[in-house]
Amino acid sequence: MANFTVAIPVYNGERFLEEALESIARQDLEGVEVLVSDNGSTDGTPAILEKWADYLPLRVIRRPETLPMRDHFNALLDDVDSDAYMLLCHDDYLASPHALQLARRAIAVNPDIAVVYCDLLYVNEKRQKLATRHFGRVGRFDPDATGRRCLRTGRNLFGIPLAIRRAALGDTRYGEEFLYAMDIDLSWSLGRSGDAFHIAEPLIANRYSSDNTTWRLLGSTLGEYLRLATKHATPPGLMGRTRIALTCQFVTVQKLLFRIYERAMSWQG
């Protein structure tokens, strides 16, 4: 049995899926399973997966019907049976051939940590570099303090998990009250099972493209951050709600400007 799983949820992912699989193939795959959940794709995704079955330790689950995104992610988590895993979106990829080795080493050396994070590389749909996100930390950090900083800044200051210990995940799943902030909610919830650990290298490439759901969810930012505060910290009063509202409005403008930058880079490329 594999002791680490790279879990990939995909729906009509023929544009980018192969890049994700290629990035995994460059890793040390001893003891690794690549688990792909095909959410009823109608494009070339099944053919890509069939081809890559010859090159990767691949297990494919084909959903009989297309699930909503959050339900699909949760169904995939139910199918992970290794000691640790990472969830890699089909349009992202591993930015270093050492990413899984470093993730698994961090889990092994720190048996009491729940999650491993890393710095991120932001790329566009043509794989052009947009920016590198450095989180300014290294080693062990406090998830609860990080979650509270997310509320103050309106941003995901956890990042994308590079490895999650399945024992820490337990019955925790993506909460039904979140979509835009679902990653923050899960990361904050996992913090109840132990500290987090950060590797200060850009090991995951996070892709920005016209396909991203982020752009469609910007209108729900305020409501979800208020729910984050109520669930994980203290229900905000009038001043707290006003502060969160202003912060979310400012971050939304920043994200829209970044989208213009991403689109410009794609057009020029």
Side-chain angles (χ1 to χ4, degrees):
M1 179 185 293
N3 56 30
F4 193 92
T5 298
V6 181
I8 305 177
V10 60
Y11 173 70
N12 287 349
E14 65 179 3
R15 291 180 67 201
F16 304 122
L17 175 60
E18 201 141 21
E19 290 183 43
L21 298 175
E22 287 172 352
S23 75
I24 297 169
R26 291 194 293 269
Q27 309 292 314
D28 176 1
L29 294 177
E30 183 178 356
V32 173
E33 177 184 61
V34 182
L35 173 61
V36 180
S37 176
D38 182 359
N39 197 22
S41 295
T42 57
D43 65 353
T45 293
I48 292 172
L49 294 174
E50 184 176 356
K51 180 181 79 172
W52 276 90
D54 294 331
Y55 305 103
L56 289 172
L58 191 62
R59 175 162 62 109
V60 178
I61 298 172
R62 303 193 190 281
R63 305 293 171 188
E65 59 182 23
T66 301
L67 300 172
M69 181 180 72
R70 180 179 49 234
D71 295 343
H72 183 208
F73 282 25
N74 283 335
L76 177 54
L77 295 185
D78 291 340
D79 292 315
V80 173
D81 56 14
S82 57
D83 296 335
Y85 76 95
M86 76 168 298
L87 193 148
L88 183 69
C89 291
H90 80 267
D91 53 350
D92 294 342
Y93 59 88
L94 298 173
S96 165
H98 308 297
L100 294 187
Q101 180 184 37
L102 293 173
R104 297 171 72 187
R105 181 186 301 164
I107 286 283
V109 172
N110 302 277
D112 59 332
I113 63 170
V115 193
V116 178
Y117 298 90
C118 61
D119 289 346
L120 301 174
L121 179 66
Y122 291 154
V123 299
N124 67 6
E125 57 190 28
K126 298 181 179 179
R127 206 166 173 164
Q128 296 169 302
K129 178 181 175 181
L130 300 173
T132 301
R133 185 173 181 187
H134 299 287
F135 287 81
R137 64 191 179 215
V138 61
R140 190 181 297 265
F141 68 95
D142 179 5
D144 185 62
T146 302
R148 292 174 185 275
R149 286 179 57 223
C150 291
L151 292 180
R152 293 196 298 271
T153 62
R155 302 189 67 198
N156 180 356
L157 299 180
F158 289 99
I160 298 174
L162 184 65
I164 297 175
R165 199 180 299 277
R166 193 163 64 94
L169 177 71
D171 295 329
T172 301
R173 294 295 184 269
Y174 292 100
E176 64 180 16
E177 66 269 46
F178 300 102
L179 274 175
Y180 177 84
M182 60 189 288
D183 292 325
I184 299 176
D185 173 54
L186 184 72
S187 291
W188 207 339
S189 297
L190 289 170
R192 300 191 185 102
S193 299
D195 282 349
F197 189 90
H198 190 91
I199 301 172
E201 296 182 38
L203 302 178
I204 298 174
N206 183 208
R207 193 188 307 268
Y208 281 78
S209 73
S210 56
D211 295 345
N212 288 141
T213 58
T214 299
W215 313 125
R216 301 194 295 272
L217 296 174
L218 284 176
S220 64
T221 305
L222 174 58
E224 294 202 18
Y225 268 79
L226 291 174
R227 288 194 287 274
L228 280 174
T230 299
K231 178 177 179 178
H232 294 284
T234 303
L238 178 60
M239 290 297 295
R241 292 172 65 89
T242 301
R243 183 172 61 252
I244 291 174
L246 292 173
T247 299
C248 288
Q249 186 175 37
F250 176 70
V251 171
T252 296
V253 171
Q254 286 184 314
K255 286 185 176 291
L256 290 174
L257 290 173
F258 190 80
R259 185 183 189 186
I260 293 171
Y261 167 61
E262 176 268 316
R263 289 285 80 197
M265 288 286 290
S266 296
W267 291 331
Q268 289 175 5

